[in-house]
Amino acid sequence: MRRFLYYRALFVLVVIMWVFGASACDICGCGIGGGYLGVMPQFHKNLIGYRYLMSAFLHPETPYNATNGDQLQRDVYHRQDVWMRYYHGADNQFFVFIPYRMNVREYESGRVDWIKGVGDIQLNYLRQIINQSADPGRLWRHSWFVGAGLQMPTGKFRQRDAQGRMHPLQIQSGIGAWGYQIQNLYILRWKNFGIQSDIQYRYFQPNELEYQLGNAFVSSISLFHWWQMTPRTALLPIMGMQLEAYGYDTEYRIKKPDTGGQFGFLTAGVDLYYRDFVFQVFGQFPTIEATTYVQPEAGARVGLGVAIFW
């Protein structure tokens, strides 16, 4: 027991330097929008927020990853989102995500390509099926949501390098095609502890270049604990895993051989609530990767965010 308390105190000491706290509330999840959102409060208030996400990919040294003898070394993705949740009635949640992307390609010679611009705006909807989070008389409380999403082709997808060669679709600001998503979200709580399961399936149409991204299946499970520090301040540490599976891309309906794959990530993060604000920091660390030898190796993902309720 002493060891457990020591490690919990150490964990809090590390993360407290990053975040600032919030008011007590029941918990639900909303890990949607093409990125990690963690476990968010589920009282009936709207919110607007900002988040920053960074991920990196290391390219292997192969002839496929060289241009005129210049070896491609690393891609770094920077994404900034302004996002909002809006309640309509007691059971309906609407989300909008407006991304701005600034992606970087780094070469062995020191050359750097910048690909930036507004990304593909995403709209999501969640329907509450069961929500027992507000019933303090229950020892076990369940919450269940199902929903769908729409990704609009608002971002640039034909950006080129200094030599006029078009960058791969995966690093463009947008994909130039409509995308669709379905989601199943379930939360089980016992006292101040909880577990969240989130399953998403994404489908993308071909764009004007007849290039179609492979379908994506993303599932995650997270453990969390609501820690009420003061009447107006609460801490929510989160740990879990995320599994991602991507199908083959196609071009003119022909399968692209060196695309798709499976990935696994260990996730750790913390949210801190203060009054009507929530501050968040998190990291996702690769544990499983199944791709072809010419594909880049996934690195860690890190992010932070802030949101306000009204």
Side-chain angles (χ1 to χ4, degrees):
M1 177 62 70
R2 289 181 179 177
R3 181 174 297 180
F4 172 78
L5 294 175
Y6 168 78
Y7 283 122
R8 190 172 78 167
L10 181 61
F11 175 77
V12 173
L13 180 63
V14 172
V15 300
I16 200 73
M17 297 184 294
W18 290 85
V19 288
F20 301 101
S23 56
C25 60
D26 288 306
I27 303 299
C28 181
C30 54
I32 60 177
Y36 177 85
L37 280 181
V39 179
M40 297 294 290
Q42 186 56 31
F43 51 75
H44 293 286
K45 286 187 177 181
N46 306 317
L47 67 83
I48 186 168
Y50 164 85
R51 65 177 180 177
Y52 165 77
L53 306 169
M54 189 277 289
S55 57
F57 294 86
L58 300 177
H59 288 267
E61 292 189 11
T62 70
Y64 301 97
N65 296 320
T67 302
N68 295 333
D70 196 358
Q71 183 71 41
L72 176 61
Q73 290 189 325
R74 188 170 72 147
D75 291 334
V76 183
Y77 295 68
H78 302 274
R79 171 171 172 160
Q80 301 178 72
D81 285 349
V82 175
W83 65 284
M84 183 177 70
R85 179 183 70 188
Y86 173 74
Y87 271 96
H88 180 71
D91 301 328
N92 302 299
Q93 300 180 51
F94 296 89
F95 295 81
V96 58
F97 298 84
I98 304 175
Y100 182 83
R101 295 181 179 272
M102 187 169 59
N103 301 328
V104 184
R105 310 208 86 182
E106 301 175 356
Y107 294 83
E108 189 176 30
S109 65
R111 179 167 64 92
V112 176
D113 290 336
W114 294 83
I115 306 97
K116 53 187 176 180
V118 175
D120 292 337
I121 296 174
Q122 184 164 343
L123 306 176
N124 288 82
Y125 167 74
L126 281 179
R127 171 72 178 180
Q128 175 180 294
I129 307 300
I130 300 173
N131 189 3
Q132 301 173 345
S133 62
D135 188 351
R138 293 179 178 270
L139 181 62
W140 295 91
R141 286 175 280 176
H142 307 262
S143 299
W144 180 27
F145 297 81
V146 296
L150 174 67
Q151 180 173 307
M152 300 182 291
T154 54
K156 298 179 181 179
F157 66 101
R158 295 184 177 184
Q159 298 185 72
R160 299 174 180 268
D161 63 16
Q163 287 73 40
R165 290 181 291 266
M166 189 175 297
H167 290 295
L169 186 64
Q170 289 79 0
I171 202 170
Q172 298 278 354
S173 300
I175 66 171
W178 294 88
Y180 310 96
Q181 173 180 298
I182 56 175
Q183 181 180 12
N184 184 85
L185 183 65
Y186 175 76
I187 304 96
L188 174 64
R189 292 190 60 194
W190 179 75
K191 295 185 178 180
N192 289 333
F193 293 88
I195 184 170
Q196 171 183 294
S197 171
D198 187 10
I199 300 174
Q200 303 176 30
Y201 179 78
R202 302 168 188 164
Y203 169 80
F204 304 97
Q205 290 185 333
N207 60 21
E208 295 178 3
L209 303 176
E210 292 298 326
Y211 196 100
Q212 183 176 17
L213 290 179
N215 300 338
F217 179 83
V218 180
S219 63
S220 65
I221 187 167
S222 301
L223 303 174
F224 61 87
H225 176 238
W226 181 264
W227 183 7
Q228 194 68 47
M229 302 172 67
T230 71
R232 294 182 175 181
T233 307
L235 185 70
L236 184 71
I238 306 165
M239 292 192 67
M241 290 195 65
Q242 180 164 302
L243 300 176
E244 305 175 3
Y246 300 91
Y248 286 102
D249 297 351
T250 61
E251 190 171 20
Y252 293 99
R253 300 186 179 181
I254 300 175
K255 184 184 297 185
K256 303 284 288 184
D258 294 314
T259 57
Q262 294 81 43
F263 302 88
F265 293 89
L266 176 66
T267 298
V270 64
D271 296 348
L272 210 54
Y273 299 84
Y274 179 70
R275 295 180 181 267
D276 292 329
F277 291 89
V278 54
F279 301 83
Q280 178 189 59
V281 61
F282 70 90
Q284 292 184 298
F285 310 97
T287 57
I288 301 171
E289 185 166 353
T291 58
T292 62
Y293 76 101
V294 300
Q295 290 178 267
E297 178 183 353
R301 305 169 177 172
V302 296
L304 51 86
V306 60
I308 183 172
F309 304 94
W310 80 93

